[in-house]
Amino acid sequence: LVAWKASLTANPANLDALFAYGQMAKHLRKYEEAAWAFQQMLALNPALPRVKLDLADTYVMLGEFALAEALFRQVLDDQ
């Protein structure tokens, strides 16, 4: 995660690096960091349904069920 964090410091708008960071953080059960990465991606581009689902899943892991439900519903509504 340290290398990806350094990459993000150099280029905070790098969606590929943010996605990889979020996925790795989630895999390592660092859910707050994963949520941060996915939130940053959605701030840059709110039309990313896969990222919304990843963030919703991360919110479930954090016990933030209302936030997760809202994102799941948003993805379904956008279909």
Side-chain angles (χ1 to χ4, degrees):
L1 286 177
V2 174
W4 284 107
K5 193 77 157 188
S7 173
L8 289 171
T9 301
N11 185 3
N14 184 333
L15 291 176
D16 291 330
L18 282 165
F19 187 72
Y21 185 85
Q23 291 296 318
M24 283 190 287
K26 196 165 126 179
H27 178 74
L28 295 171
R29 297 182 181 168
K30 295 180 180 280
Y31 300 120
E32 291 86 6
E33 291 185 48
W36 171 83
F38 299 138
Q39 290 164 348
Q40 295 302 307
M41 291 183 73
L42 292 173
L44 294 167
N45 184 351
L48 297 171
R50 166 68 196 267
V51 176
K52 289 178 184 177
L53 291 173
D54 282 321
L55 180 55
D57 183 52
T58 302
Y59 282 153
V60 168
M61 298 302 181
L62 289 168
E64 297 288 348
F65 302 114
L67 292 173
E69 180 182 7
L71 278 173
F72 284 133
R73 288 185 186 279
Q74 189 177 40
V75 171
L76 287 172
D77 291 343
D78 290 345
Q79 296 300 319

